[in-house]
Amino acid sequence: MDKQKMHDLVQDLLPSYIDKLTHESTNETIENHLASCPTCRAVYENMKSDNEIPKADSRSVDYLLLIKRKTWKKILLSVVGTVLVIGVAALVWVYGIGVPAKPQNLNANVTNTNGKVVIQGTDEKKGQGIGRIRWLRQGDVLKATVYETPNADASFHYAYEQKGITQVWLNGMVEWDDGMAISSSIARLYNMRIKNTSDPLKVKALMTYATALDEDVSYGFENGVLTIQIGQSMEKAELDTISIRLLALIQNVKQVDWLLGNEIVQSVRPADVAPDLKDAYAHPAILQRVLENQALVSMRSMAQFDFRWDLDSEPEFVVVTLWQNGKRVYENGGRSMLGMTQIALKDGEYELEIAVTQDGQVKKTKPARVDLKENARSFVFEVGQSGGDIEVREVGS
């Protein structure tokens, strides 16, 4: 290799050599050349000086390290202190102050007699008890909140003496109103009340709560009338119950119409049920009283049907239908044969029809006459099969 090429090669390798990236054998070649070539050695010294970082004074370094150590120590102590404070606060909160008990964990009884409100009961949550209560009076409404703490006494008994209380709440649920203890089902329903029909999810929640109403039901609202479209006929008592909820708990609803196809099958106004029904928005005791009366009416209107089956083979599907004046008033179907069934019906004449699916074929009975009277509301029907045909006949009452 000529000298110029050797100069070029060594100078190209110098940056890597200075950074200690070259191989030992390469280092030996570079060092031998630098020892005999003042030009390349000058280039090397120049590169080396440009690459060096001035070293700080040792005392300055020691001082900076000391500051750094102290800073990290302060940060660590601060973090540990914060964690300890949060931990202590959490313990005080849970064991001393407590957290509001969930309503579903409380089995409580509320009374209000002669200006003395008494709240007593038990906390059903395992390992928890009631440690304290907080009272808040807003006008004639008293709102109480009991707080759970670990290992506290599950039983609790608190009293509040002050006249003029007409409504008592416990942990977000109304428990007593206008001289009446409110059931948990009415309290949950009351918490679903809304001012208007603008929120479809809340309206549907009211319609479908504890009912057999399809959640996909559609509705419209105009001039105070809530119109609900249903896909199949429903019992009048069921529609009345849902209508009562909607009229009581949606402030701007004045009438509920039920639409099946293009026909209004039922229309309910507050005056049809109770004159003070709209006041139930502020007083759940009214809603509870009206629904209890409605249940009593429904019980008095219940007809009992006992079906006895004698078929050649197990049916794939069974549908029981009741007709009145050409209109379907009841229908129930399923994969099992009905036994004893109670149906809310008014007095009058009906026709009973049963459809049975066997081997993929639907077979219907001829209508059987049913005459409902005040003293005749229990029937026994036998469903049999003759020559492949399905027959139904009354065999007792």
Side-chain angles (χ1 to χ4, degrees):
M1 182 182 298
D2 58 39
K3 288 185 179 182
Q4 187 57 45
K5 286 185 179 181
M6 188 63 180
H7 291 318
D8 294 339
L9 178 61
V10 169
Q11 290 179 22
D12 286 342
L13 291 172
L14 282 177
S16 298
Y17 173 75
I18 292 171
D19 291 336
K20 303 186 184 302
L21 300 176
T22 50
H23 194 267
E24 290 182 3
S25 59
T26 304
N27 292 345
E28 186 178 350
T29 302
I30 293 170
E31 289 166 1
N32 290 336
H33 180 77
L34 291 177
S36 61
C37 179
T39 302
C40 289
R41 187 165 60 251
V43 174
Y44 166 69
E45 294 294 340
N46 187 45
M47 284 186 183
K48 186 178 178 184
S49 61
D50 289 342
N51 230 27
E52 285 182 348
I53 299 173
K55 293 184 179 179
D57 183 75
S58 61
R59 286 175 297 177
S60 299
V61 172
D62 292 342
Y63 178 70
L64 289 172
L65 288 173
L66 180 62
I67 292 176
K68 191 174 181 180
R69 290 194 190 102
K70 287 184 176 180
T71 302
W72 277 107
K73 188 175 181 180
K74 287 180 180 178
I75 293 172
L76 182 60
L77 289 174
S78 177
V79 171
V80 171
T82 302
V83 171
L84 287 174
V85 168
I86 293 173
V88 171
L91 289 173
V92 170
W93 183 269
V94 172
Y95 285 88
I97 299 174
V99 295
K102 293 181 178 179
Q104 59 265 33
N105 294 338
L106 299 176
N107 182 11
N109 178 53
V110 177
T111 59
N112 185 5
T113 308
N114 299 324
K116 184 178 182 179
V117 175
V118 175
I119 297 178
Q120 58 186 337
T122 56
D123 184 0
E124 304 293 338
K125 187 175 181 180
K126 189 176 181 181
Q128 297 286 327
I130 301 302
R132 67 185 183 97
I133 190 170
R134 181 175 66 87
W135 303 98
L136 176 64
R137 179 167 182 173
Q138 297 174 327
D140 59 352
V141 177
L142 179 64
K143 294 186 175 181
T145 305
V146 291
Y147 291 79
E148 285 179 336
T149 56
N151 303 318
D153 191 348
S155 300
F156 57 90
H157 185 286
Y158 298 102
Y160 183 94
E161 295 192 46
Q162 207 168 98
K163 293 184 178 180
I165 302 296
T166 62
Q167 194 174 94
V168 182
W169 290 65
L170 178 62
N171 287 52
M173 302 286 281
V174 61
E175 295 281 346
W176 189 90
D177 178 57
D178 198 23
M180 178 183 292
I182 304 300
S183 69
S184 58
S185 60
I186 294 295
R188 285 193 294 270
L189 188 60
Y190 187 65
N191 275 359
M192 299 164 70
R193 67 193 186 282
I194 51 179
K195 289 187 176 181
N196 53 63
T197 57
S198 60
D199 190 332
L201 293 179
K202 290 183 178 180
V203 175
K204 287 187 178 181
L206 270 176
M207 286 192 283
T208 58
Y209 175 74
T211 73
L213 194 63
D214 191 343
E215 291 185 2
D216 294 330
V217 67
S218 60
Y219 73 90
F221 180 78
E222 186 176 358
N223 298 326
V225 179
L226 181 65
T227 303
I228 304 171
Q229 180 78 51
I230 53 178
Q232 60 182 11
S233 63
M234 295 177 61
E235 297 177 19
K236 180 183 183 301
E238 183 78 9
L239 296 181
D240 283 342
T241 300
I242 301 171
S243 299
I244 288 169
R245 295 175 183 176
L246 298 172
L247 289 167
L249 299 177
I250 305 179
Q251 267 193 329
N252 67 338
V253 172
K254 300 176 183 177
Q255 179 176 318
V256 178
D257 288 346
W258 295 91
L259 198 64
L260 180 60
N262 296 320
E263 180 185 359
I264 295 178
V265 294
Q266 194 157 324
S267 184
V268 184
R269 295 178 297 274
D272 301 331
V273 182
D276 58 349
L277 181 60
K278 292 303 292 183
D279 295 332
Y281 189 87
H283 293 285
I286 296 174
L287 176 61
Q288 179 164 296
R289 187 187 69 247
V290 172
L291 287 177
E292 285 176 353
N293 291 338
Q294 176 68 18
L296 290 174
V297 171
S298 297
M299 286 180 64
R300 289 194 294 268
S301 66
M302 296 302 288
Q304 181 171 292
F305 293 81
D306 187 5
F307 294 99
R308 300 175 182 178
W309 301 81
D310 184 18
L311 301 177
D312 295 342
S313 61
E314 189 78 12
E316 298 161 15
F317 204 82
V318 173
V319 178
V320 175
T321 307
L322 280 168
W323 302 85
Q324 187 179 46
N325 299 324
K327 292 183 179 180
R328 182 175 53 192
V329 295
Y330 173 83
E331 187 170 79
N332 190 8
R335 295 186 179 279
S336 59
M337 293 177 284
L338 294 177
M340 187 173 292
T341 302
Q342 289 188 328
I343 307 171
L345 296 169
K346 292 181 178 179
D347 290 350
E349 293 185 359
Y350 297 85
E351 289 184 329
L352 172 67
E353 182 184 76
I354 297 177
V356 177
T357 303
Q358 289 178 319
D359 300 324
Q361 291 186 338
V362 178
K363 303 172 183 178
K364 291 184 179 181
T365 65
K366 292 181 179 180
R369 186 171 176 272
V370 180
D371 190 6
L372 279 181
K373 299 177 182 179
E374 185 176 350
N375 58 350
R377 305 191 66 82
S378 180
F379 305 89
V380 180
F381 285 94
E382 183 179 82
V383 184
Q385 194 162 10
S386 175
D389 296 328
I390 306 296
E391 300 174 346
V392 60
R393 63 189 181 94
E394 184 178 351
V395 295
S397 60

